[in-house]
Amino acid sequence: MADEANRQFAGLSDVSISEDIPVEGDISRGEEDEFSTLDEPVKETILRDLRAVGSKFIHVLYPKRSSVLLRDWDLWGPLLLCVTLALLLQGGAADSEDQGGPQFAEVFVIVWFGSIIITLNSKLLGGTISFFQSLCVLGYCIMPLTAAMAVCRIVLVGGSGTVSFIVRLVVVTASFGWSTFASTAFLADNQPPGRKSLVVYPVFLFYFVIGWMVLTFSPSQ
Amino acid sequence: MRKQQSCCPQTPGPPPSVCLPQTPALQQQEGEEERGGGEDVKLDLSEEEGEEESSELLGGQKPTGGFWTFEYYQSFFNVDTVQVLDRVKGSLMPLPGRNFIKHNLRSNPDLYGPFWICVTLVFSVAIGGNLSSFLSEKGNPSYHYRPHDDSCTRDLHVCLVGAHWFMGFLTWRQGAERQIGGYSFLETVCVYGYSLFIYIPTSVLWIIPFEWLRWTLIVVAMVISGSVLVLTFWPVVREDTKVMAVATVVTIVVLHTLLAVGCKMYFFQTEVHVPSAAPITPTINMTIATKAH
């Protein structure tokens, strides 16, 4: 009887799930590695994280249906992009009454609060993606819009006439489309069938609002 | 099914309206396989007020756990794209005799539609208002485009959403008091949410700067939206005394009108030519004076 019990449970001892889910920073590889990451120079730690962030940027640039963004989520990239976008949207006013753009905190609130609401929405609709994975994807896909903001600032240096407006419109529209396409490429697979549009629409609205903020930015006269 | 058998005796007739507090654990395990959610809220109050027959209206729904579980809220989002589109179309075309709740909701009220319609309306009115004032002031050299006004108005829009939930609450409360198989709170809020959909294209079309067109658009929008609401609530209210019925309906229409017209008047101001010129020239004088020092 003991043999039967052993045979029944023999298969269970082979199951190990911790190896299949690499956590950011790869801290779960084993005991000797744990010691070595503590002993390694700080430069290496930082470079490893930077490389992870960089590889995700490249994945947003060429969005394929890969799961790298989803598996090794991190929020450094979104934070960096959000801060960059908020800083670029500054400098619109010399005096506080005549704002040419939103406040720094407003951009933060819109980006993070909007991402949280979209994530909650997709989870409520029955999506299988986890909360932070979704935040990670939405944050990284702001990158095209941040690049568009930088381009708009450069264009605005040359003047704010009709030509510059048309150039800015084209750039912002292209980057808005790119952002939406990139984020749906990562998020769409995790939704139950028949509800994909319900999940994509808030993402569309989110990037539309951010694109609108980028497009209507006007520097102080 | 397994859940029903453990929960209450098998009855072919009315749905199990008394199952609520005893076995929340079992229901949580099942997740949200069945449609539910609205039933949960309705049953709580029906037990308070002793209304058994109102639970039959929503027929066949199973409560899905307490309000602290995620599944409870998930049951409010149990809709597909096709269903949402159908409900939106139903709100655009109110026909007499077609009750929005009975015809479109069919015991599956959702919060996805009302929530995202309100959010979209917030942004479309803000952006439309900005664009329209920009276009109307384009010839005015002293006008400085201020997109920042968007964010200031967002607070007012929270009021819009809050007002619509409040109106839904009032209407539901009316219906519940009358004890005439009123609708659940969720269904009322759902109807209000979908009835606001017509204002989204209206607010976009309001950018076109012709006064007659704007007033035509707003009248059309109010008629459509108001009739969706009136057609939905009239059957509930008409069994009451004549005075109360008419008063309720008139209140609904008037509140809805105030909301729409108030938003439009605030965000789509075109009469700012004269006032805006006056404060700007003193500012210019002041800056010149300070620079001279």
Side-chain angles (χ1 to χ4, degrees):
Chain A
M1 254 195 285
D3 294 336
E4 278 179 16
N6 283 341
R7 255 184 277 130
Q8 269 181 349
F9 294 114
L12 287 180
S13 61
D14 294 336
V15 172
S16 68
I17 42 175
S18 55
E19 294 170 357
D20 295 335
I21 309 174
V23 177
E24 177 56 31
D26 292 337
I27 54 175
S28 59
R29 247 189 276 146
E31 279 192 322
E32 60 279 338
D33 283 333
E34 203 176 325
F35 286 123
S36 65
T37 55
L38 277 179
D39 287 343
E40 70 181 10
V42 174
K43 187 178 80 166
E44 255 188 61
T45 317
I46 294 179
L47 278 180
R48 186 174 57 232
D49 277 341
L50 280 179
R51 259 182 255 122
V53 169
S55 80
K56 290 205 196 56
F57 277 140
I58 294 177
H59 271 93
V60 173
L61 276 179
Y62 303 109
K64 308 183 281 278
R65 262 161 212 263
S66 82
S67 53
V68 169
L69 258 192
L70 293 182
R71 254 195 340 226
D72 302 332
W73 62 266
D74 76 278
L75 292 179
W76 283 114
L79 181 67
L80 203 65
L81 284 169
C82 189
V83 168
T84 313
L85 185 65
L87 284 175
L88 285 173
L89 279 167
Q90 290 300 294
D95 57 302
S96 55
E97 295 165 12
D98 197 17
Q99 297 284 348
Q103 305 273 1
F104 188 87
E106 280 171 17
V107 178
F108 252 81
V109 163
I110 289 176
V111 169
W112 290 101
F113 200 59
S115 305
I116 289 174
I117 297 225
I118 294 176
T119 308
L120 276 179
N121 176 66
S122 81
K123 286 196 74 83
L124 282 170
L125 280 170
T128 55
I129 197 171
S130 100
F131 184 75
F132 287 108
Q133 283 171 349
S134 172
L135 281 187
C136 170
V137 170
L138 288 169
Y140 270 103
C141 291
I142 293 180
M143 190 185 77
L145 281 166
T146 311
M149 184 68 219
V151 171
C152 284
R153 284 303 288 257
I154 295 172
V155 168
L156 277 171
V157 167
S160 49
T162 318
V163 176
S164 96
F165 176 73
I166 292 177
V167 170
R168 281 186 290 142
L169 182 67
V170 167
V171 168
V172 170
T173 313
S175 59
F176 155 70
W178 190 359
S179 287
T180 312
F181 172 68
S183 61
T184 48
F186 291 117
L187 292 177
D189 293 332
N190 296 297
Q191 298 305 321
R195 296 186 184 183
K196 287 200 168 45
S197 310
L198 294 186
V199 173
V200 168
Y201 171 71
V203 175
F204 169 88
L205 189 64
F206 175 63
Y207 289 126
F208 182 81
V209 169
I210 296 183
W212 180 258
M213 281 198 312
V214 169
L215 183 63
T216 58
F217 174 77
S218 62
S220 58
Q221 250 62 29
Chain B
M1 300 210 287
R2 193 159 50 94
K3 181 163 81 169
Q4 268 181 315
Q5 283 170 2
S6 56
C7 165
C8 49
Q10 204 62 358
T11 47
S17 61
V18 294
C19 291
L20 233 187
Q22 286 84 13
T23 51
L26 269 167
Q27 284 137 12
Q28 275 177 28
Q29 282 167 23
E30 293 291 340
E32 23 84 59
E33 297 160 35
E34 285 87 21
R35 297 162 167 204
E39 178 72 347
D40 210 12
V41 176
K42 185 57 188 160
L43 285 175
D44 275 334
L45 296 151
S46 69
E47 280 173 25
E48 280 175 29
E49 299 170 5
E51 293 177 319
E52 292 296 314
E53 64 272 3
S54 45
S55 59
E56 289 173 3
L57 257 187
L58 304 175
Q61 290 180 327
K62 320 274 179 305
T64 47
F67 63 90
W68 56 88
T69 62
F70 192 69
E71 284 78 25
Y72 175 74
Y73 297 104
Q74 233 173 352
S75 59
F76 298 151
F77 282 75
N78 196 8
V79 278
D80 288 339
T81 313
V82 180
Q83 284 176 313
V84 171
L85 288 176
D86 276 341
R87 292 173 187 194
V88 164
K89 270 186 273 194
S91 80
L92 287 177
M93 294 180 297
L95 301 173
R98 258 172 62 167
N99 188 336
F100 185 79
I101 289 186
K102 295 252 169 29
H103 190 255
N104 290 86
L105 290 189
R106 288 191 202 182
S107 316
N108 189 18
D110 70 302
L111 279 181
Y112 176 91
F115 178 72
W116 286 109
I117 289 176
C118 282
V119 170
T120 312
L121 186 62
V122 162
F123 287 117
S124 77
V125 170
I127 290 177
N130 247 291
L131 271 179
S132 79
S133 60
F134 171 71
L135 284 176
S136 70
E137 305 276 355
K138 216 162 60 161
N140 191 352
S142 60
Y143 178 78
H144 181 69
Y145 182 58
R146 297 167 59 154
H148 179 67
D149 284 341
D150 280 342
S151 44
C152 307
T153 62
R154 216 158 287 140
D155 308 318
L156 263 89
H157 280 111
V158 174
C159 298
L160 182 152
V161 173
H164 129 251
W165 277 68
F166 179 65
M167 287 201 292
F169 175 75
L170 281 182
T171 317
W172 163 76
R173 203 62 215 158
Q174 280 274 54
E177 275 171 14
R178 302 280 166 260
Q179 302 203 0
I180 310 164
Y183 305 122
S184 79
F185 177 57
L186 199 63
E187 289 178 332
T188 320
V189 166
C190 198
V191 173
Y192 267 106
Y194 279 105
S195 73
L196 288 176
F197 178 81
I198 183 69
Y199 291 115
I200 297 175
T202 311
S203 62
V204 170
L205 288 173
W206 256 62
I207 300 173
I208 305 171
F210 295 123
E211 281 302 311
W212 61 268
L213 181 68
R214 287 181 168 181
W215 285 108
T216 316
L217 280 172
I218 198 171
V219 164
V220 166
M222 269 168 25
V223 162
I224 292 180
S225 163
S227 52
V228 168
L229 293 175
V230 167
L231 285 172
T232 308
F233 292 116
W234 182 245
V236 174
V237 158
R238 113 185 113 195
E239 278 114 32
D240 205 346
T241 63
K242 204 65 168 172
V243 176
M244 279 313 298
V246 173
T248 312
V249 170
V250 166
T251 314
I252 293 175
V253 171
V254 165
L255 282 178
H256 209 69
T257 311
L258 279 178
L259 199 65
V261 175
C263 281
K264 296 304 189 276
M265 296 306 287
Y266 186 83
F267 297 113
F268 290 83
Q269 292 166 342
T270 50
E271 309 89 44
V272 291
H273 289 275
V274 174
S276 68
I280 285 174
T281 32
T283 320
I284 294 174
N285 286 336
M286 279 185 338
T287 43
I288 292 173
T290 48
K291 276 190 189 144
H293 291 291

